[in-house]
Amino acid sequence: MTTLQETIHPQAKAREWKAIVILILLIPVLWSPPFLFRIFLFQPFNIPSGSMTPTLVVGDYVFAAKYAYGYGRYSFPFAPSWISGRVRATDPEYGDVVVFRTPKDTSVDYVKRVVGLPGDRIQMRQGQLILNDRPVTRVALKQAFAGSTCGVDDGAKAKRWRETLPNGASYVTQDCVDNGYYDNTDVYTVPPGHFFVLGDNRDNSSDSRVMSSIGFVPMDNLVGKVTRIFWSLDQHGEPHMERLGKVW
């Protein structure tokens, strides 16, 4: 007579052997240069929305340097939830374009620009960024066609500004409308161990100004620093070669 234990035991041993065989077969893959490159050095991401226009647009493919801020829970796929902190931790600087996860939804990667560090006071007044009670320097540029990045027709134009943070980081932002929903805000004080992000497309970005969805981002939720656009396709699927290069 066959007992239940005798029936299950061979199946369990077979599964164990299968797992061992699979692990052995995976060793060359896990230690292959492409795998190590993606896990420890640079991870590719594609840009699915216009929230970082004009710096990053839909169709851009970018590399994020995973080593830039050290390694933590979100640096590796399938990392266990009990991992906390970062190894070789370095905090981002003003103006860095970063990939991160939010505490409210750790399954989604976001790409935004860091404009506030722990202890900073951040506010928007009439569309201008105020950092620690001082307006951030900005210079008006020629208006540019905005199209769908402002949620209007392709012929619409938007204001653009060159914004320069106190550390010299300089980049271009887009202003779709005057007195937009988040053009005037309360003062946000960045708590310890967190940073504050904005999208360069200021009127069409869900970022730290939206406390209900993103808010202050923990340093431990960093994935990497966006360093380069390595490929780009326009709306017709054609290569957009002039966009390739370093991200500022």
Side-chain angles (χ1 to χ4, degrees):
M1 181 176 179
T2 302
T3 65
L4 180 61
Q5 183 179 3
E6 290 171 337
T7 304
I8 294 176
H9 188 64
Q11 294 178 351
K13 291 191 71 174
R15 285 197 298 269
E16 290 176 3
W17 275 106
K18 283 182 180 179
I20 293 171
V21 171
I22 291 172
L23 181 60
I24 292 172
L25 292 174
L26 280 176
I27 287 174
V29 176
L30 295 175
W31 287 98
S32 65
F35 186 84
L36 293 175
F37 180 89
R38 186 184 188 279
I39 292 297
F40 294 105
L41 298 178
F42 295 94
Q43 182 171 342
F45 293 91
N46 73 295
I47 304 302
S49 76
S51 69
M52 280 295 292
T53 302
T55 304
L56 301 173
V57 301
V58 175
D60 284 348
Y61 291 78
V62 301
F63 278 134
K66 303 184 76 172
Y67 57 84
Y69 307 121
Y71 299 94
R73 174 183 173 187
Y74 301 107
S75 301
F76 308 104
F78 313 116
S81 59
W82 50 263
I83 291 179
S84 62
R86 288 178 292 150
V87 177
R88 301 180 63 84
T90 301
D91 291 346
E93 298 180 356
Y94 292 125
D96 285 0
V97 178
V98 298
V99 179
F100 62 92
R101 307 276 180 92
T102 70
K104 297 178 176 64
D105 185 359
T106 58
S107 65
V108 178
D109 294 303
Y110 289 86
V111 180
K112 306 289 179 184
R113 190 180 297 277
V114 175
V115 299
L117 298 173
D120 284 341
R121 296 181 303 281
I122 309 293
Q123 186 179 23
M124 298 295 296
R125 297 181 195 161
Q126 297 181 347
Q128 185 168 13
L129 174 61
I130 310 298
L131 176 59
N132 294 324
D133 306 318
R134 294 185 178 182
V136 168
T137 301
R138 66 174 184 170
V139 177
L141 304 176
K142 184 179 179 180
Q143 291 190 5
F145 289 105
S148 60
T149 62
C150 282
V152 293
D153 62 88
D154 290 342
K157 287 188 175 183
K159 294 178 181 178
R160 290 194 174 181
W161 304 85
R162 174 160 293 281
E163 195 168 84
T164 304
L165 294 172
N167 66 338
S170 185
Y171 47 88
V172 178
T173 66
Q174 180 168 286
D175 186 8
C176 292
V177 295
D178 293 332
N179 295 315
Y181 192 77
Y182 289 108
D183 277 353
N184 294 281
T185 70
D186 294 331
V187 176
Y188 307 97
T189 301
V190 185
H194 292 69
F195 57 94
F196 193 99
V197 294
L198 292 177
D200 289 348
N201 189 1
R202 293 291 164 79
D203 291 316
N204 198 10
S205 172
S206 180
D207 45 44
S208 289
R209 295 172 293 181
V210 188
M211 287 289 159
S212 60
S213 61
I214 295 184
F216 304 117
V217 183
M219 295 289 184
D220 288 353
N221 286 39
L222 283 164
V223 175
K225 176 182 178 180
V226 176
T227 58
R228 181 170 296 274
I229 300 171
F230 69 88
W231 188 243
S232 184
L233 298 174
D234 64 19
Q235 59 184 343
H236 305 294
E238 296 296 325
H240 214 178
M241 304 303 290
E242 64 271 19
R243 289 199 53 77
L244 308 190
K246 190 172 181 180
V247 173
W248 301 98

